[in-house]
Amino acid sequence: ADRRPEPIVKGRHLAPLGVAPGPAMGQLIKELFDLQLDGAFSDLESGLALAHRRLGIPPRPETDGPS
């Protein structure tokens, strides 16, 4: 039996970005999971970068290149 993939990005990853638990967080997790299944990203760093774009906030400085 095939196991369904797990979402890479979960609520515990979104909470530090200021996403409160609730329907909005659930919707964002679902959108990111759909993107994950479509092959848009395959690791947490890429998933969080997408989450930042979705939320309209800049990625964390440590993931940016030199300015």
Side-chain angles (χ1 to χ4, degrees):
D2 283 352
R3 284 188 48 224
R4 191 146 190 264
E6 284 278 306
I8 294 172
V9 180
K10 300 187 165 123
R12 65 173 177 267
H13 303 118
L14 297 175
L17 306 183
V19 182
M25 178 183 275
Q27 180 61 34
L28 181 57
I29 291 169
K30 181 186 179 311
E31 284 176 24
L32 290 168
F33 188 40
D34 288 342
L35 287 166
Q36 173 189 327
L37 293 177
D38 287 344
F41 66 93
S42 58
D43 60 33
L44 183 58
E45 193 173 343
S46 305
L48 286 177
L50 261 173
H52 279 96
R53 281 208 291 281
R54 276 274 199 276
L55 294 167
I57 56 179
R60 295 195 313 271
E62 63 264 29
T63 61
D64 280 353
S67 46

